[in-house]
Amino acid sequence: MSQTFSEETHRNLLARIPARTGREITDWMRIVDEGPSLLRFEDRLSWLRGAHELTYGHAKAIIHEYNLRRAARRLL
């Protein structure tokens, strides 16, 4: 089972992603959106880590943020 990050840790990881990866969060949101249609969080996480050579923490933060934004769009 995956470890859960606090909200503060999640925000800190997101803030570091552009400097560490050379891509903005919006770019990562597009990459996940255009990626394979995987349903499970862990499957998306594994795909993102493997396809883009990301660390576990960065990939998890990206997928978590993607899910948060997708849920927010559904509420509108």
Side-chain angles (χ1 to χ4, degrees), residues 39-59:
L39 299 178
R40 291 177 9 136
F41 184 92
E42 291 297 326
D43 293 341
R44 284 185 175 179
L45 180 66
S46 294
W47 164 75
L48 193 60
R49 287 185 72 199
H52 297 282
E53 299 180 6
L54 294 172
T55 65
Y56 175 83
H58 290 143

Side-chain angles (χ1 to χ4, degrees), residues 5-40:
F5 295 142
S6 70
E7 183 63 27
E8 179 182 4
T9 300
H10 175 68
R11 293 289 157 213
N12 288 337
L13 282 167
L14 284 181
R16 289 191 298 255
I17 286 172
R20 299 285 173 111
T21 67
R23 294 182 179 179
E24 295 297 321
I25 297 301
T26 54
D27 296 332
W28 286 112
M29 297 298 104
R30 182 183 45 76
I31 288 167
V32 174
D33 198 42
E34 294 172 356
S37 297
L38 302 169
L39 299 178
R40 291 177 9 136

